[in-house]
Amino acid sequence: MQIRTRLAAMAMVAVMLCWSAYGQTSVTRAERELFASVNQARQAQGLAPLRWDESLAVAARRHAAIMAERGAAQHAFDGEPSLSARVKQAGARFSWLSENVCEGVTSGFIHAQFMKSPAHRANVLDRDMDSIGVGVAEHGGQLFAVEDFSQAR
């Protein structure tokens, strides 16, 4: 148990260093919590942590805002660009992409939902991915979350 506590503490230090290194002041608490939860889940499986990618986060935030506005968690809405186009518009360079979307009252609930879903869990634990951007928007007491994963070029 002590090793897990130590590993969790190390993961949190890594997250904090990542934020200071990238100067993230616009990242919400829910986004930080989801980022940390993803890397803790990966670490528990012996996988390398994902690095924060601000371009992916920009794309994720834009899509989260649309989901909140529409009151639904979906990968795409009519008239909205595809995931690939959204990420390219935000400036990300990638060779592979995947996305998780969910709606819930807390970031902990959202992460638990991702880990219960085989497809979403596979995205979190995909050993080929090396980067993540998270976007969360709030509307009517609900959080609308987007996790965009990539294998960077």
Side-chain angles (χ1 to χ4, degrees):
M1 188 62 146
Q2 191 176 30
I3 291 173
R4 283 189 180 186
T5 304
R6 202 172 312 153
L7 290 174
M10 288 171 38
M12 289 309 295
V13 168
V15 168
M16 290 177 183
L17 288 174
C18 179
W19 295 132
S20 62
Y22 289 99
Q24 298 303 313
T25 56
S26 63
V27 178
T28 69
R29 178 179 175 186
E31 290 168 349
R32 286 191 304 271
E33 290 171 351
L34 286 168
F35 176 63
S37 294
V38 164
N39 278 330
Q40 287 171 355
R42 290 177 63 84
Q43 187 175 37
Q45 296 297 314
L47 300 172
L50 298 176
R51 67 179 166 76
W52 183 264
D53 184 299
E54 186 59 23
S55 296
L56 290 174
V58 167
R61 287 182 191 122
R62 288 176 183 163
H63 186 62
I66 292 169
M67 291 188 335
E69 180 182 294
R70 304 240 180 143
Q74 295 181 21
H75 289 282
F77 294 95
D78 288 341
E80 184 184 21
S82 68
L83 170 61
S84 176
R86 292 191 313 256
V87 169
K88 285 178 186 174
Q89 287 172 354
R93 297 177 49 88
F94 59 90
S95 55
W96 187 250
L97 282 174
S98 64
E99 180 178 69
N100 287 349
V101 299
C102 189
E103 169 186 356
V105 293
T106 67
S107 59
F109 173 84
I110 290 168
H111 180 70
Q113 294 305 111
F114 287 149
M115 297 308 286
K116 287 178 187 176
S117 160
H120 292 108
R121 180 183 175 85
N123 287 342
V124 169
L125 301 178
D126 187 338
R127 62 182 69 246
D128 293 328
M129 297 301 184
D130 57 23
S131 305
I132 186 173
V134 180
V136 177
E138 188 274 333
H139 181 72
Q142 287 287 104
L143 298 177
F144 294 83
V146 177
E147 296 175 341
D148 285 343
F149 302 89
S150 80
Q151 181 182 63
R153 269 199 250 170

